Amino acid sequence: MAVEKLFKDEATEEKGERARMASFVGAMAIADLVKTTLGPKGMDKILQSTGRGHSVTVTNDGATILKSLHIDNPAAKVLIDISKVQDDEVGDGTTSVVVLAGELLREAEKLVGSKIHPMTIISGFRMAADCARKALLDRVNDNKDDASKFRLDLMRIAKTTLSSKILSQDKEHFAKLAVDAVMRLKGSTNLESIQIIKKAGGSLKDSFLDEGFILDKKIGLGQPKRIENANILVANTAMDTDKVKIYGARVRVDSMAKVAQIEGAEKEKMREKVQKIIGHGINCFVNRQLIYNFPEELFADAGILAIEHADFEGIERLALVTGGEIASTFDNPESVKLGHCKLIEEIMIGEDKLIHFSGVEMGQACTIVLRGASFHVLDEAERSLHDALCVLSQTVNDSRVLLGGGWPEMVMAKAVDELARKTPGKKSHAIEAFSRALIAIPTTIADNAGLDSAELVAQLRAEHHKEDSNAGIDVITGTVGDMSELGISEAFKVKQAVLLSATEAAEMILRVDEIITCAPRRREDRM
């Protein structure tokens, strides 16, 4: 018995087979969970939090679903991580990466069951992943020199990304929005200069892209509603000191008159500050903090539009867009960079008034205004659009494009199969398993559309044995179709990221042979 007591009371360990079983089962369960969201006919999930307000999220985005889960199984956590990384890195393919990793593990489990060592499986997977990547590289399409063709590619990619999301009904419209927005970035992948404003009301079709910048604020009272050739000072400074703050300050005075004097002094200070700000030669002042009515009055007298309490993101973006810098001291006006724009005016969207800056310095910025029936729809629309924007901005940099609809997986599976036939030894089993796992993606796409996946995938495989076929699954008609005619495209970068992350994750989980769970600390011990 002495040997047993290596760990403290409550710590448990699982060895060998049992540990591996636990991690396989957990990972496959996670993969099955998001499996149904894959593809254009994938379903959405409702996530209800148990926290305050029981907020409800309706989503189709693999990463969002997995992020909201609280999970005990260590292997499942690895899969959740890869989907998060996929989301940060390329933005789309979050579901595919988990499904692929899950399938790889499912295959690996069978291999381990037939007495093949995990390390052998891993080296087989490695070879297979390499081979699959090369197979894709041979078949990529690159149109970056021909602008009109490239734009068509981008439109196709956007439509393909959006077709599995809530926006699939208006995917033409949104694909155009996304492509326009990304083309304005001129190759930077910084999506911060694309601002997305969600306004409930109207339908998704009413969403539009605006050249300028929209600030979700109202224009103060008695101030000009419209300014042309604006010079904008963006600031983060306190404009609320013209009254004595009652709390926190102890002032001993002989009479009320003295208090009035102090207030007068404060007012003078404020007036000086405002004079300094006006001295910059501006006609629009945007502040991060409150502006009291006294300084607001002074600004209005000077004919300056003062906007208070602009939220921080808004203000950073505004500074970025108008080419100004955020100032907090105003003693030397020559060192402050002002922002410029051609026209500031108030516009109405739905019920709300917003301030619209057009003709901004940096032509890269734009605002997408999303309209929709409810907040859940808007949130999901924003997530979907964000996916599309991420993929597009990556594609602008790395302009290699593949066909979609299960085509890349079939191409990879075919190449990997050929490799398996050439490879001697036990590794060949692992390589073959890899190709079966790849085929699981088109199978799942077909299953989700309620089609006969076995039949379709067999047809696909036959098609792909002809040279250079473009066959993929056309879920709309439920047959095998030509992907290049249907205009279903995907970005190479996304597929590559899916392939490599899934392989690495599966490899990591395969290496596990022992799970040690540590004992919870007891309360009494702390005393």
Side-chain angles (χ1 to χ4, degrees):
M1 280 303 287
V3 188
E4 296 276 295
K5 292 289 290 172
L6 174 61
F7 294 115
K8 261 185 154 177
D9 288 347
E10 313 224 344
T12 54
E13 61 170 332
E14 309 250 348
K15 273 205 164 68
E17 280 305 289
R18 290 197 45 202
R20 199 165 285 127
M21 269 305 299
S23 45
F24 282 160
V25 170
M28 288 188 297
I30 286 285
D32 288 344
L33 180 76
V34 290
K35 211 182 207 176
T36 51
T37 65
L38 190 70
K41 290 264 198 258
M43 300 313 249
D44 291 9
K45 307 250 180 271
I46 287 187
L47 310 169
Q48 184 174 14
S49 79
T50 47
R52 288 198 318 239
H54 290 283
S55 58
V56 171
T57 320
V58 182
T59 179
N60 183 308
D61 180 39
T64 312
I65 295 171
L66 294 179
K67 242 185 262 175
S68 328
L69 298 178
H70 290 286
I71 281 178
D72 239 4
N73 186 305
K77 290 204 168 120
V78 174
L79 289 193
I80 293 178
D81 262 6
I82 56 168
S83 92
K84 268 194 199 145
V85 169
Q86 179 80 8
D87 198 30
D88 299 340
E89 181 60 31
V90 281
D92 196 25
T94 46
T95 312
S96 322
V97 73
V98 178
V99 172
L100 185 56
E103 287 302 325
L104 285 172
L105 288 170
R106 184 162 300 174
E107 294 295 336
E109 184 185 23
K110 294 177 196 157
L111 295 174
V112 171
S114 57
K115 298 279 179 282
I116 296 178
H117 191 276
M119 282 306 155
T120 316
I121 303 177
I122 286 173
S123 66
F125 277 3
R126 275 266 154 110
M127 288 167 66
D130 247 20
C131 160
R133 190 165 160 266
K134 289 198 183 79
L136 281 189
L137 274 173
D138 290 345
R139 302 286 301 269
V140 290
N141 222 342
D142 196 341
N143 286 334
K144 73 163 176 283
D145 310 324
D146 180 345
S148 57
K149 258 193 189 154
F150 184 46
R151 194 185 160 91
L152 189 69
D153 274 352
L154 286 181
M155 280 295 286
R156 284 176 162 185
I157 289 177
K159 273 191 281 195
T160 307
T161 300
L162 292 173
S163 63
S164 63
K165 307 275 196 277
I166 191 170
L167 302 177
S168 59
Q169 302 312 311
D170 313 312
K171 61 182 177 207
E172 284 284 333
H173 182 68
F174 283 100
K176 192 166 173 319
L177 282 189
V179 174
D180 284 346
V182 170
M183 288 307 252
R184 295 177 73 91
L185 290 178
K186 304 188 184 58
S188 88
T189 48
N190 178 10
L191 294 177
E192 294 208 333
S193 35
I194 300 178
Q195 183 194 19
I196 298 181
I197 289 186
K198 298 178 289 195
K199 285 281 172 219
S203 71
L204 282 170
K205 276 206 179 63
D206 301 336
S207 309
F208 61 92
L209 180 122
D210 201 289
E211 316 279 87
F213 178 86
I214 295 178
L215 198 61
D216 198 346
K217 287 277 163 268
K218 295 189 178 63
I219 291 185
L221 291 172
Q223 292 173 352
K225 291 276 187 248
R226 181 192 160 100
I227 292 183
E228 289 176 19
N229 297 332
N231 292 333
I232 306 164
L233 176 63
V234 184
N236 183 2
T237 179
M239 301 295 284
D240 50 3
T241 49
D242 62 333
K243 295 195 175 69
V244 173
K245 297 256 175 62
I246 298 302
Y247 41 80
R250 289 185 63 181
V251 185
R252 289 221 170 132
V253 286
D254 312 337
S255 65
M256 269 325 274
K258 292 279 170 64
V259 178
Q261 270 178 3
I262 296 174
E263 284 207 343
E266 295 257 333
K267 241 181 168 162
E268 276 312 303
K269 256 166 75 181
M270 194 72 239
R271 178 166 295 166
E272 273 173 35
K273 190 170 187 179
V274 173
Q275 291 305 331
K276 272 183 198 161
I277 291 174
I278 297 175
H280 288 57
I282 56 170
N283 46 15
C284 172
F285 174 70
V286 183
N287 192 16
R288 160 93 175 66
Q289 299 175 22
L290 278 171
I291 302 179
Y292 262 12
N293 39 12
F294 176 65
E296 193 168 33
E297 223 176 278
L298 294 177
F299 282 128
D301 291 346
I304 291 178
L305 168 62
I307 301 166
E308 62 175 355
H309 245 299
D311 49 338
F312 197 65
E313 273 192 347
I315 214 174
E316 293 222 314
R317 212 180 267 130
L318 183 64
L320 197 96
V321 169
T322 53
E325 280 171 5
I326 298 179
S328 46
T329 54
F330 311 102
D331 292 333
N332 34 4
E334 57 282 351
S335 69
V336 175
K337 266 180 74 181
L338 296 181
H340 297 286
C341 77
K342 297 243 167 57
L343 174 67
I344 301 180
E345 57 187 343
E346 203 173 39
I347 55 172
M348 294 280 291
I349 296 181
E351 302 277 281
D352 299 337
K353 293 183 179 172
L354 303 139
I355 304 174
H356 178 223
F357 298 76
S358 51
V360 277
E361 288 275 299
M362 195 171 98
Q364 303 179 355
C366 57
T367 301
I368 294 176
V369 179
L370 289 178
R371 308 300 311 278
S374 75
F375 288 111
H376 300 145
V377 175
L378 285 176
D379 286 345
E380 177 59 2
E382 182 185 22
R383 272 190 295 271
S384 318
L385 198 61
H386 182 258
D387 275 10
L389 291 174
C390 286
V391 177
L392 290 177
S393 64
Q394 295 287 349
T395 315
V396 170
N397 281 359
D398 179 345
S399 54
R400 292 172 291 187
V401 176
L402 295 162
L403 298 172
W407 176 86
E409 283 79 13
M410 292 312 283
V411 170
M412 292 190 280
K414 181 183 171 193
V416 172
D417 255 348
E418 280 162 15
L419 175 71
R421 294 203 192 102
K422 291 179 212 151
T423 313
K426 282 187 183 173
K427 274 188 204 167
S428 61
H429 293 298
I431 297 174
E432 217 172 307
F434 194 91
S435 108
R436 281 201 298 275
L438 283 170
I439 289 179
I441 287 197
T443 313
T444 310
I445 292 177
D447 278 343
N448 286 346
L451 308 171
D452 179 354
S453 56
E455 168 73 12
L456 272 177
V457 172
Q459 282 180 13
L460 254 187
R461 191 189 244 142
E463 282 290 319
H464 272 272
H465 271 287
K466 303 173 189 160
E467 281 304 300
D468 287 344
S469 109
N470 290 339
I473 292 179
D474 176 3
V475 276
I476 309 302
T477 60
T479 50
V480 170
D482 183 329
M483 293 291 119
S484 61
E485 282 173 22
L486 291 168
I488 298 177
S489 303
E490 300 195 40
F492 168 71
K493 199 156 180 190
V494 175
K495 275 293 165 222
Q496 173 179 305
V498 166
L499 180 71
L500 301 181
S501 322
T503 314
E504 278 171 17
E507 184 179 316
M508 191 167 153
I509 294 173
L510 260 177
R511 280 171 186 265
V512 174
D513 75 331
E514 186 166 352
I515 299 175
I516 301 176
T517 322
C518 89
R521 299 231 313 263
R522 290 269 180 80
R523 292 271 169 91
E524 302 79 274
D525 298 351
R526 288 187 194 158
M527 293 304 179

